[in-house]
Structures are given as C-alpha cells and as structure tokens.
Amino acid sequence: MTIEFQEDSAPMTETQRRAFPDGFLFGAATAAFQIEGAAFEDGRRASIWDAFCRVPGAVINGDNGDVACDHYHLYRDDVALMKRMGLQTYRFSTSWSRVRPDGGALNPAGVDFYNRLVDELLEADILPWLTLYHWDLPQALEDRGGWTVRQTADRFTEYALDMHDALGDRVKVWTTLNEPWCSSFLSYTAGIHAPGHYSVTEGVLAAHHLLLGHGQVIRELRARDESLNLGVTLNLTVADPVDPTDPADLDAARRIDGQFNRWFLDPIFRGEYPADVVDDIRAVHPEAIAALEEATKPGDLETISTPITTLGVNYYHGDYVSGHPATEEVAGGDAPTDRRAESPFPAADDVHWHDRGLPRTPMFWEVQPEGLTRLLKRVSDEYAAPAGVAMYVTENGAAYDDVVVERDGEKIIPDTERAEFVRAHLAATLDAIDQGVDVRGYFYWSLLDNFEWAWGYEKRFGIVRVDYDTQERTVKESGRLYSRIIAQRALDAESTAD
C-alpha cells in the first residue's frame, strides 16, 4: 500500500490565531464494519450488516463490507498515517461479531487484533478512544430477537466486560453506544438500516434495551475502575421551526427534538422518558408504549441514568421543520435504494421539512455550522453541565464528490468544500467554548473513505482517500488542512470568517 502525504503551507502569525484550549483533543473516527473488511476471517461471523447487505435493494450497488478498507490487514500503515497527520486520538469501534462471533464464546483471534491495534496506537502516542457498539450486532443474536429483547442487553454487557478484560490495562476511554437513535428507530422502525424492520413497537423496545445495555456497562466498568472515562455518543440535531410564532411549527420542532434528542438524553441524564413524547407516541401507537411499559422493569431507568464522564455529540446538520407542507418537496439524505423506507419518527406524520436556503452537500445535507454552536450550548446548559459531564464532538463531517488530479506527478484531491466544512465547524466549536461550554475535543468523520451503510461506496466522507481497487491511501486537501490546524492548535482569522 502506498501512502501519499504532502506538507502544507507556512504557519500562521500570532495576530491570525484563534487558539484552541490547552488539552483540547484533535482526532478522527471510524467504525469496524465500515473499514475493517476481513469479514469472515479468523473466526469472525456474520453481523446484521453482513446479512442486510445481501438483501436485494438494501444497499446501493449491492455493496458490502467484506473488504472495505482492509484495515484489518493494513492497520499498521493506517496508524502510521494518523501519526504523520498529527492526530492525538483515534475513535474506533470493536466488532462484536469478531470478538464474540454469533454472540457466543470469546474468539481469541478477534481479541488479538484489537490488542495489536491498541498497542500500535500507543506506540504512536495516539490515545485509543474505544466504542463498543457501532451497529454490528451478531446476526445470531438478531435471530433471537436482537435489541427488541432484554437478553441482548445482557449479552452486550458480557461482551463489554470481555473487551475490558483484554484492553482495560491500556484503554482508558470507553464509549458504550454510537448513535442509538440509528440502531433503534432507523433500523427497527424505518427499515433503512440493518436489520431493516418496519415496526414502531420494535423501535421503541430497541431504544430501551440499547439504553439499558449502556447503563449496565457503565455501572459494571465504573465498579471495576473509577478512573475510567466512560460515556455514550448520541447523534443530535437542532430542530428549528420555520415560523417561530406559528404553534404548528413550534409543535413540529418539539416533536423532532423530542423523538431525536430528548428520547435518549432524558433517560441518560434524568432517569425518565420525556412525558410529552410518550404521550405523542401513545396517541398514534398505543401498542408501542404499552410494550415499553411492560419491558421497563423496576430499576431500569436508574441503571440507564448511571452517571457518565463524557457525552459524545455527533452533528452533521440541523432540521428546519413546520406543521405545514412545503411548497416544494425537500429531499432527504437517505440513500436512494430500491427498498422501501418508512419514517423513523413514530409520531411525526404532520411534520414537514423545509429548505432554508443553506448550502447542501451531494447527500442533500444542509451545511449549518452555527447549528453546532447552538446544539452544544443547549445540551450543555440543560444536561451535561448540571451533571458535571464533559462534551466532545465525536463525529462531524461531509461527503463530497472528490476529484483526483495529477500535479507534478503526484495525486492531489482538492476537496475545497470539505476543507471549508472542517474550518467552519471547528470555528463553531470554538464559538461554543467561548460561550462557556466544556467541549474538550473534536473528531472528524471519517479518517478514511469507507462503506457508508445504505450508500455503500457511493459517498466519500474521508479526509483520506481510499482507492478501493488498490487500497492506496492519499491525504486530501482537507486532511492537510486539518493537520496544519492540529500542529498550530489554532484557526486563522480568515478561515473562520463566514
């Protein structure tokens, strides 16, 4: 594998600097299924995503994660590249299907891969930031009910403790779940992600059991080692009403905020589901709330609200919503697959998305950096700060249609739009810090171009390009910019201007 990397321009002067706080961490993120490949090597067995990729029409071009970025074999080169780019921390996930294939006995070969990866990171002076669940539930567990049944939370806890047994002497930052909204409502209600079901009841039950598994793992790991940095990562949005004086628009924003943000924030930080959202869902799907009430055992919410150290915030764009239809249909960011998709929101039939005129990526996601500032401030004020919980931006990124050009005999990827996206969102993060928000780090999504779920390999989020035919890595212009920012621990005044 060839790694191409180019140095960037001259350092900024002191008058240009907008410095990041001491100790602020700069990193990048990936997920096991999206980059590792080696899908059925060394004892790994099928996950729900291996199965879903083989459902006709579920993933663009019928793509799958069998090879992906071949990180399983190329991890040493990838860590060396991270070091050259100056990354201070690397957020990765461990594959449940590799470590405990079929949800069963421990697989030493799978554990050994992560032992070697962690050692390589530490040797490169890169902090390992481990996520236990990034959507790769063993298919055998899904066949037994998946996240809709309580037993999966218990199996998840066992798997987490196995990983701590193996890595706890070296890994000090543990994230339980990545984006449980996606692995519940997007997966069990909308049919868009694996396992691809269409049930509001299943989505509600999956969300509860994911949260229960999270709480159980936090409780068990805290009992083992009080010094651990323990947390969860949520994808969150800013839901803005089109007309803030219109009751219907205000209600639309409340519903999206409630079903996207508060359904997870409130149990974790307050030990309760938001009553207004429970009432919303009960009004249209009483069977779903009845199932949730039956599934919620005494002590569940106390377990779910076990104190955490860190909240990871994943932010890509906000939502501009109304109780009235738009004059023109606003396309969403879902992959245009051949498979039916339903709404992931159980009680939002009267919510309509509008266009506010912001720039959009080729996935039709709005580019809204100021939304990140407002989101961090709101979540800090209402949840994190009162609980003494630090916040990190654990994912933020954009897919653009990259073009490879030859310049002086070398490959160049002049992804100016992505570079500006990085600058603008780092500036928005600094804006939140200036407002007193305890934000301690930023992870770009993603380090590498990779398997982008239902989009397959159609969309590229990486600051490093991957040639899927040769596995060659080439740092893009955005990656070189990010490296410069890390080295100087500052943004220049011009780059942060609107």
Side-chain angles (χ1 to χ4, degrees):
M1 181 189 70
T2 301
I3 297 174
E4 297 190 9
F5 183 81
Q6 296 180 333
E7 300 302 325
D8 214 318
S9 55
M12 294 173 280
T13 67
E14 290 297 327
T15 58
Q16 294 175 310
R17 289 180 183 274
R18 189 179 180 198
F20 288 88
D22 292 343
F24 188 92
L25 286 176
F26 294 94
T30 66
F33 188 82
Q34 294 180 267
I35 68 166
E36 283 181 5
F40 301 101
E41 290 186 37
D42 294 338
R44 186 188 178 281
R45 301 288 295 275
S47 74
I48 55 175
W49 270 97
D50 293 291
F52 194 60
C53 287
R54 287 159 173 80
V55 174
V59 178
I60 290 178
N61 299 323
D63 290 341
N64 59 58
D66 289 2
V67 177
C69 306
D70 202 21
H71 176 73
Y72 187 77
H73 297 112
L74 301 176
Y75 72 93
R76 289 189 177 89
D77 296 318
D78 289 338
V79 173
L81 178 56
M82 294 178 218
K83 183 174 182 178
R84 293 186 63 189
M85 294 180 71
L87 297 186
Q88 297 174 292
T89 181
Y90 172 53
R91 178 174 172 256
F92 64 98
S93 73
T94 52
S95 169
W96 191 345
S97 298
R98 195 179 298 284
V99 171
R100 293 191 70 155
D102 292 339
L106 193 68
N107 175 27
V111 174
D112 182 61
F113 169 69
Y114 296 109
N115 268 307
R116 288 181 278 118
L117 174 60
V118 166
D119 285 345
E120 198 76 17
L121 290 167
L122 292 173
E123 180 66 24
D125 199 27
I126 297 170
L127 175 71
W129 189 291
L130 189 152
T131 299
L132 287 161
Y133 187 70
H134 201 130
W135 309 351
D136 53 353
L137 181 71
Q139 179 61 35
L141 291 183
E142 176 57 35
D143 293 340
R144 298 198 285 272
W147 286 109
T148 69
V149 300
R150 190 179 190 88
Q151 290 77 10
T152 301
D154 296 333
R155 301 293 82 77
F156 176 61
T157 305
E158 294 169 356
Y159 150 66
L161 295 179
D162 282 340
M163 294 311 304
H164 185 263
D165 287 341
L167 304 175
D169 60 327
R170 287 155 292 154
V171 175
K172 300 303 178 184
V173 185
W174 295 79
T175 298
T176 53
L177 308 173
N178 178 78
E179 300 184 349
W181 180 84
C182 292
S183 45
S184 54
F185 294 112
L186 205 61
S187 302
Y188 286 90
T189 297
I192 294 170
H193 280 189
H197 295 183
Y198 301 102
S199 167
V200 170
T201 296
E202 288 192 14
V204 168
L205 289 175
H208 180 69
H209 294 131
L210 281 155
L211 288 169
L212 180 62
H214 152 77
Q216 289 179 175
V217 170
I218 295 292
R219 183 185 60 198
E220 294 297 328
L221 291 182
R222 183 73 70 210
R224 286 185 171 201
D225 185 351
E226 292 185 355
S227 72
L228 294 177
N229 182 335
L230 303 176
V232 65
T233 281
L234 305 178
N235 54 319
L236 301 172
T237 189
V238 175
D240 291 323
V242 171
D243 181 354
T245 67
D246 185 328
D249 288 9
L250 288 169
D251 189 64
R254 179 194 63 80
R255 286 174 181 267
I256 298 307
D257 175 66
Q259 294 170 64
F260 201 99
N261 296 336
R262 292 185 286 118
W263 193 259
F264 298 94
L265 285 166
D266 281 20
I268 290 170
F269 284 93
R270 298 173 179 170
E272 61 186 13
Y273 288 105
D276 63 316
V277 184
V278 171
D279 290 343
D280 289 341
I281 299 174
R282 194 195 307 273
V284 287
H285 295 285
E287 74 287 352
I289 297 304
L292 174 64
E293 291 172 343
E294 182 179 356
T296 304
K297 305 303 181 186
D300 278 8
L301 287 163
E302 288 82 357
T303 297
I304 291 169
S305 59
T306 301
I308 58 177
T309 315
T310 289
L311 175 65
V313 173
N314 291 359
Y315 173 82
Y316 290 92
H317 59 85
D319 292 281
Y320 194 51
V321 294
S322 171
H324 311 285
T327 54
E328 295 183 11
E329 183 178 353
V330 177
D334 296 332
T337 64
D338 296 329
R339 197 167 183 275
R340 174 170 65 98
E342 299 290 344
S343 171
F345 298 105
D349 288 347
D350 295 329
V351 175
H352 303 274
W353 276 257
H354 288 236
D355 190 344
R356 66 183 116 198
L358 293 175
R360 290 181 180 265
T361 73
M363 286 175 64
F364 215 69
W365 289 0
E366 289 184 331
V367 180
Q368 188 191 1
E370 61 81 25
L372 176 58
T373 306
R374 287 193 286 130
L375 176 64
L376 292 170
K377 177 64 172 164
R378 180 267 179 107
V379 174
S380 173
D381 288 349
E382 296 185 19
Y383 296 97
V389 170
M391 297 169 64
Y392 291 78
V393 179
T394 39
E395 285 184 27
N396 174 244
Y400 288 101
D401 297 330
D402 299 331
V403 176
V404 181
V405 299
E406 294 280 340
R407 185 180 301 162
D408 297 328
E410 297 194 46
K411 291 181 180 176
I412 304 293
I413 298 93
D415 59 334
T416 303
E417 290 175 304
R418 186 180 291 106
E420 291 302 319
F421 185 99
V422 172
R423 278 193 246 242
H425 286 81
L426 281 170
T429 302
L430 279 173
D431 289 343
I433 292 170
D434 289 346
Q435 294 177 31
V437 180
D438 186 12
V439 187
R440 301 186 185 180
Y442 174 94
F443 294 76
Y444 180 80
W445 180 273
S446 172
L447 173 68
L448 305 172
D449 292 337
N450 55 48
F451 176 85
E452 188 47 46
W453 308 116
W455 285 93
Y457 297 101
E458 283 289 297
K459 298 300 179 184
R460 294 175 176 268
F461 276 83
I463 47 176
V464 176
R465 179 181 174 84
V466 177
D467 182 322
Y468 296 117
D469 293 327
T470 66
Q471 294 297 337
E472 178 183 71
R473 273 69 158 150
T474 305
V475 179
K476 303 176 187 180
E477 178 182 311
S478 58
R480 294 187 285 118
L481 169 77
Y482 193 39
S483 292
R484 189 185 79 169
I485 292 169
I486 295 170
Q488 301 185 121
R489 299 194 59 79
L491 290 176
D492 61 84
E494 181 180 3
S495 70
T496 63
D498 291 335

